[in-house]
Amino acid sequence: MATLTETAPETTAPRRRRRRRAPKAGEAGGQHRAGKLTYAVLLLFTAISLFPLIWTAIAASRTNERLAETPPPLWFGGNLFSNMETAWSDANMGLALFNTTLVAGAIATGTVLFGTLAGFAFAKLRFRFKNLLMLLVIGTMMVPPQLSVVPLYMAIAKLEWIDQLQSVILPFIVSAFGVFFMRQYLIQALPSELIEAARVDGASSVRVIWHVVFPAARPAMAVLGMLTFVMAWNEFFWPIIALTQENPTVQVALTSLGRGYIPDQSVIMAGALLGTLPLLLLLLLFGRQIVGGIMHGAVKG
Amino acid sequence: MTQTGTAVDAPPSAEGGAAPKRPATEDRRQKWRSRRYRWDAKFSPYAFISPFFLFFAAFGLFPLLYTAWASLHRVELTAPTDMEWAGLHNYTRLFEDHFFWNSLWVTFTLAVLSTVPQLLMAMGLAHLLNYKMRGSSFFRVAMLAPYATSVAAATLVFAMLYGRDYGLINWFLGLFGVDEIDWKSGDWTSKIAISTIVIWRWTGYNTLIYLAAMQAVPHDLYESAALDGASRWKQFRYVTIPSLRPTILFTVVVSTIGSVQLFGEPLLFEEGAGASGGPDHQFQTLGLYLYEQGWRNLHLGRAAAIAWVMFLILVVIGIVFGLISRRLRKS
C-alpha cells in the first residue's frame, strides 16, 4: 500500500506528456486522466479516512498517563498488548467478539437466504399483487428500527429474552435491502430461458432454486452477505437496549468502556481497536467485492 | 413432496400385461403431476416471499402499529407489560417539554450540518475518482475504512481527538495559534464535532454511490458536449449533475433519514455518557431523547409517543422528497 502512494506522483509525469500529444482524445468526461492535483486531493482524503483508525492503534499502544500529556502521541508505544488484555478481561471482549460473530453471521445468513428467495420471486416469477408487494418491500426500507423499539422491548421482556442473543438476531434476520439487492441482480444475471428449460424438464420450484437460482446468484449472495455482516456487526441502538454487560455484543461492550466503568483511555482505545479489527480484515480481504457491491446496489437504486 | 412416492411405485418400466389398467394409472399420475405442477407454479412465489413478510410483519409492521397503541398508555420500564390507558397525555406532556423542542432543533441542525458537506464532498471525490488513474481501487477501499468502523468505536476515538486539554485537534489548532476549544460543552462546537463523526463515517460510502452513477452516464453525452466546446467544468455542471439527479435525491433521502435517527454519536460523545446530550442538552437528538425518556426515566409510553412523532416526521420528509422528485422528472 505504501509503495503505491509513494509512486503515484511520479507516474503522473509521463502521462502529462501523453495528454499533450493527443489533446482531443481525452476530452470526454470520465476519460480524463488524473493529474497531480487529483492524486494529491485523493491522498489527503485517504489520509483523513485512515488517520483516526491509525491513531486508535497509537493511543491503544500507550499508557493513560501518556495520553494526558500535551503534545499527544503521534507514534506507537509499547503497551498495545497489555492494554488489549485489560480490555479483553474487563469489558468481556472475548465473549463480546464471539457473540458478535455469531449474531452477525446469523443475520447475514438469514438475509442472504430469504433475500435470494424473495428476490428471485420478484425478479422472475409471476404472481398476483407482485408490484404492490414489491412497493411494500421498498417502502419498508424507509422505516427505521428505532420506531418499533418500544413494543419490541415489551415483547422480549415478556418472553424473557433480554440478554439473549435471539433478541438481537430475529428482528434483523430479513432485510428489505436484501430482497431489493437480489432482485436487481437476478433480473439481469439469471436468464428466464434457463428457468423455463428447467421447468419444461419437470423440475419443481425447489429444484429450480437449488440447481439454477443459487448457482447464478452466488456472487451477489457473497457480496450481500459481507455488506450485511458489516452492518450487523456495527448495529448499535437495539443491542444496547436488548442486551446487558453480562452477554454483550462488541458495541455494547465498547459502550461500557466509554461510559467510564474503566476510565483508562488507552484501554478504551484498545477495545475500540479489537472491535474494529475483524471488519478491517474483512475489508482488506474482500475490499474490491464490497466496493463493487455498494456500487452495484446503488446504480439500480 | 411426499407424493412422489406414489409415482415411484408405478415406474414406467411396467411392460405389457396389464394393458387396460395402465392408461388409467398413467392418466391419474399425469393428472396428479400436472396439478402439482400448477400448484407449484401458483403458490411457490408466495412461499419464497413469505419468510420476508412474516418476519417483517412480526418485527417491523406490528411493533410500528403497536407503538401508536403504547403511546396512548402509561407504561413503565419497571413493568413493561402493565399498560394503563392515558389518552393523549404522553403527547401533551411531550409538547410541553422544552427538551422535546430542543431535540427537534438539534436533530434538524445536525442533519443539515452533516448531510450537506458530506454529500458535496462525496460528489467532488467521486468526480476525481472517475478520472483514469492508478490505484483507483486502493482509494476506493481506503475510503470505505470509516464505513467499516462502528459508531461506538468511531465516536470513542473522536471524543478523544476532540478533548479540550489533551485532545489532538486542539493541539493541532494550537500550532496555528488557535485557543483551546471546548468541543464538548460548546453549543455549535459540539454540533460541529458530532457532524464530523457522521461525515467521516459516510463520505466514502456516498462517494462510491455517486461514482457508480457517474460511470453509468453515457459517453457520447460528454463527447457531444466536448464537441460543442464545453469546458470540463461545464461538462460536469451540465452533463454529470443532471444525469445524477435521481442518485442525488436517493442519497439525500437516505442521509436525511439516517440523521433523523442519530443516536450513538451524541450518546457516546458525552463524557460519562448519560443520555442528556451534553450539559445543556446541546446535542441531544430525537433518538437520544427517546432513549432517555424510555430507558433512563423509565417512561416507555412517552418513548413510544416520541417514536410516533419521529415516524410522522419521516413520512413528511418522504412526501416532500416524493414531490421534489416528481417536479424534477417533469422539468
Side-chain angles (χ1 to χ4, degrees), chain A residues 1 4-5 11 15 19 27-34 38-39 41-43 45-46 48-53 55-56 67-72 74 114 117-118 120-122 125 127-128 133 136-137 140 142 144 146-154 157-158 170-171 173-176 179 199 204-205 209 227 230 234 236-237 240-241 251 254-255 258-259 265 268-269 272 276 279 283 287-288 290-291 294-295 298-299, chain B residues 1 37 40-41 44-46 48-49 51-53 55-56 59-60 63-64 66-67 70 75 77 80-81 83 121 125 128-135 137-150 152-153 156-158 160-161 165-168 171 200-201 205 208-209 211-213 215-216 219 222-223 226 232 235 253 257 261 263-264 267-268 272-273 287 290-291 295-296 300 303-304 307 310-311 314 318:
Chain A
M1 295 284 155
L4 223 178
T5 54
T11 51
R15 251 192 222 149
R19 200 170 56 199
E27 285 298 287
Q31 291 308 93
H32 288 305
R33 283 187 181 278
T38 304
Y39 282 106
V41 174
L42 286 175
L43 282 175
F45 272 90
T46 306
I48 294 174
S49 289
L50 297 181
F51 178 73
L53 295 169
W55 197 77
T56 306
L67 291 176
E69 285 169 25
T70 350
L74 291 170
F114 298 136
L117 287 179
F120 164 63
F122 280 119
L125 300 181
F127 54 96
R128 267 176 144 225
L133 288 171
L136 192 65
V137 171
T140 62
M142 312 276 281
Q146 288 189 349
L147 303 186
S148 21
V149 103
V150 172
L152 275 183
Y153 185 83
M154 291 161 73
K158 195 164 199 171
L170 290 177
I173 204 152
V174 296
S175 94
V179 176
R199 282 308 219 160
S204 65
S205 295
I209 287 278
L227 287 175
V230 172
N234 288 337
F236 185 71
F237 187 65
I240 84 160
I241 285 174
Q251 311 310 329
L254 280 184
T255 312
R259 274 178 181 165
Q265 299 279 4
I268 296 178
M269 289 299 104
T276 314
L279 287 196
L283 196 68
R288 278 166 180 249
I290 295 176
V291 166
I294 289 174
M295 289 176 63
V299 182
Chain B
M1 285 300 101
Y37 184 85
D40 187 21
S44 61
Y46 297 107
F48 294 152
I49 63 171
F52 172 81
F53 283 100
F55 276 106
F56 170 67
F59 295 105
L64 181 68
Y66 201 80
T67 301
V75 198
L77 188 80
T81 43
M83 292 168 70
M121 279 190 327
L125 286 173
L128 295 184
L129 274 175
N130 203 20
Y131 286 139
K132 270 191 176 172
M133 69 169 69
R134 284 195 165 208
S137 58
F138 162 73
F139 287 125
R140 290 178 201 181
V141 174
M143 280 178 194
L144 264 198
Y147 167 79
T149 311
S150 69
L156 292 174
V157 179
F158 274 86
M160 277 201 77
L161 292 172
D165 297 324
Y166 311 109
L168 194 124
W171 167 77
W200 179 75
R201 281 190 72 222
Y205 179 86
L208 292 183
I209 288 177
L211 181 61
Q215 289 180 343
H219 244 282
Y222 288 111
E223 269 157 31
R232 276 194 195 188
Q235 287 178 28
V253 174
I257 290 176
Q261 302 172 61
F263 169 73
L267 176 74
L268 291 175
L290 184 158
Y291 180 70
W295 281 270
R296 290 297 161 88
L300 281 182
M310 262 171 101
F311 179 63
L314 290 174

Side-chain angles (χ1 to χ4, degrees), chain A residues 38-278:
Chain A
T38 304
Y39 282 106
V41 174
L42 286 175
L43 282 175
L44 178 71
F45 272 90
T46 306
I48 294 174
S49 289
L50 297 181
F51 178 73
L53 295 169
I54 296 167
W55 197 77
T56 306
I58 292 175
S61 69
R62 295 286 182 161
T63 60
N64 197 33
E65 293 73 40
R66 177 62 187 88
L67 291 176
E69 285 169 25
T70 350
L74 291 170
W75 194 247
F76 300 92
N79 287 37
L80 183 63
F81 291 103
S82 69
N83 285 333
M84 278 184 166
E85 270 176 39
T86 314
W88 189 275
S89 53
D90 286 6
N92 229 347
M93 270 314 241
L95 180 64
L97 282 167
F98 174 78
N99 281 345
T100 313
T101 311
L102 203 73
V103 168
I107 290 174
T109 309
T111 301
V112 167
L113 183 66
F114 298 136
T116 308
L117 287 179
F120 164 63
F122 280 119
K124 294 291 169 183
L125 300 181
R126 261 180 287 165
F127 54 96
R128 267 176 144 225
F129 306 120
K130 179 166 142 178
N131 293 334
L132 188 76
L133 288 171
M134 191 61 216
L135 210 66
L136 192 65
V137 171
I138 293 173
T140 62
M141 284 206 267
M142 312 276 281
V143 182
Q146 288 189 349
L147 303 186
S148 21
V149 103
V150 172
L152 275 183
Y153 185 83
M154 291 161 73
I156 66 163
K158 195 164 199 171
L159 291 165
E160 294 182 358
W161 277 6
I162 288 172
D163 224 6
Q164 309 273 310
L165 293 185
Q166 66 265 33
S167 69
V168 292
I169 294 175
L170 290 177
F172 294 98
I173 204 152
V174 296
S175 94
F177 173 74
V179 176
F180 183 73
F181 186 86
M182 291 312 298
R183 170 179 174 265
Q184 298 310 86
Y185 182 81
L186 285 173
I187 282 178
Q188 285 189 339
L190 181 61
S192 297
E193 297 82 44
L194 214 60
I195 306 164
E196 273 157 33
R199 282 308 219 160
V200 169
D201 287 351
S204 65
S205 295
V206 176
R207 284 181 71 97
V208 170
I209 287 278
W210 191 254
H211 292 289
V212 182
V213 177
F214 279 171
R218 202 178 293 153
M221 286 165 92
V223 168
L224 177 65
M226 285 186 287
L227 287 175
T228 312
F229 190 87
V230 172
M231 280 191 278
W233 184 283
N234 288 337
E235 183 59 41
F236 185 71
F237 187 65
W238 177 237
I240 84 160
I241 285 174
L243 300 178
T244 68
Q245 291 310 320
E246 303 303 310
N247 195 26
T249 59
V250 165
Q251 311 310 329
V252 178
L254 280 184
T255 312
S256 83
L257 281 176
R259 274 178 181 165
Y261 297 139
I262 308 138
D264 190 327
Q265 299 279 4
S266 57
V267 171
I268 296 178
M269 289 299 104
L273 193 65
L274 274 175
T276 314
L277 273 181

Side-chain angles (χ1 to χ4, degrees), chain B residues 74-82 294 297-301:
Chain B
R74 193 187 142 83
V75 198
E76 297 297 300
L77 188 80
T78 42
T81 43
D82 295 342
N297 301 346
L298 315 181
H299 303 311
L300 281 182

